[in-house]
Amino acid sequence: MSLSRAGARAIVIYCGLMMAISAFSVDITLPSFPAIQAGLGARYEFVQWTITIYMAAAGIAQLVWGSASDRFGRRPVLAAGLGIYLAGCLIAALAPDIAVMLAGRAMQGFGAAAAIVLSRAIIRDLFSGEELARNLALATAIFAVGPIFAPLLGIAIAAPFGWRAIFGVLAAF
């Protein structure tokens, strides 16, 4: 498959956005911790666990998604991962208590790991040599912007719409 220059650039940008999903999903919730605590009637320490659970699930799941995509193909495995991520977003948004919130965040992390692993694999599949290095650098630069803007976007969403809306935005992303 040969790609036009614009098509290749679009794929690299998409992969950069997929790389950013994980960091974005963590940082966008940080300003809303007090509201989540109050909304779920949970201790603050348990709200902080939403980050730990997310990161642990994402770390473990990376071991699964890479080999699964080698065996079953990039597209179906990425679709499965993003579907799990979406389900986790919806569970977290609708969580009646902190236990359900933690389960949703674990699902988010598990699903987001597919995007983390496969974004790099897709770029590696399409490019080599200097072109690979240049495109990985572009995708990484896009990834790096996410944590900068995520807390600002999180507060901009939560202030008028409440903390649950953050997970709706993540699901749409």
Side-chain angles (χ1 to χ4, degrees):
M1 172 174 89
S2 72
L3 292 170
S4 69
R5 189 175 193 100
R9 183 58 48 121
I11 289 173
V12 171
I13 291 169
Y14 180 72
C15 287
L17 291 171
M18 285 196 311
M19 289 169 66
I21 283 176
S22 191
F24 202 83
S25 295
V26 168
D27 294 339
I28 197 170
T29 63
L30 296 176
S32 295
F33 274 13
I36 294 170
Q37 177 190 11
L40 297 178
R43 292 184 16 213
Y44 196 78
E45 303 85 64
F46 292 133
V47 176
Q48 290 175 323
W49 268 91
T50 62
I51 302 300
T52 306
I53 294 286
Y54 180 97
M55 296 302 291
I60 292 167
Q62 288 183 48
L63 301 172
V64 173
W65 294 118
S67 58
S69 73
D70 289 341
R71 182 170 183 177
F72 301 110
R74 307 285 190 237
R75 186 173 290 169
V77 171
L78 180 60
L82 293 177
I84 292 169
Y85 176 82
L86 175 63
C89 288
L90 297 175
I91 289 169
L94 301 173
D97 57 42
I98 193 65
V100 175
M101 166 69 85
L102 291 172
R105 291 295 279 171
M107 285 182 69
Q108 274 187 296
F110 192 87
I116 296 166
V117 170
L118 292 174
S119 59
R120 288 175 178 85
I122 290 167
I123 293 172
R124 191 183 63 242
D125 290 345
L126 295 174
F127 306 102
S128 62
E130 282 186 32
E131 198 175 21
L132 172 62
R134 188 172 37 257
N135 286 312
L136 275 174
L138 173 60
T140 303
I142 293 167
F143 156 77
V145 172
I148 295 168
F149 291 107
L152 299 171
L153 182 60
I155 202 68
I157 294 165
F161 303 110
W163 65 266
R164 293 179 187 274
I166 291 171
F167 295 101
V169 169
L170 289 174
F173 179 68

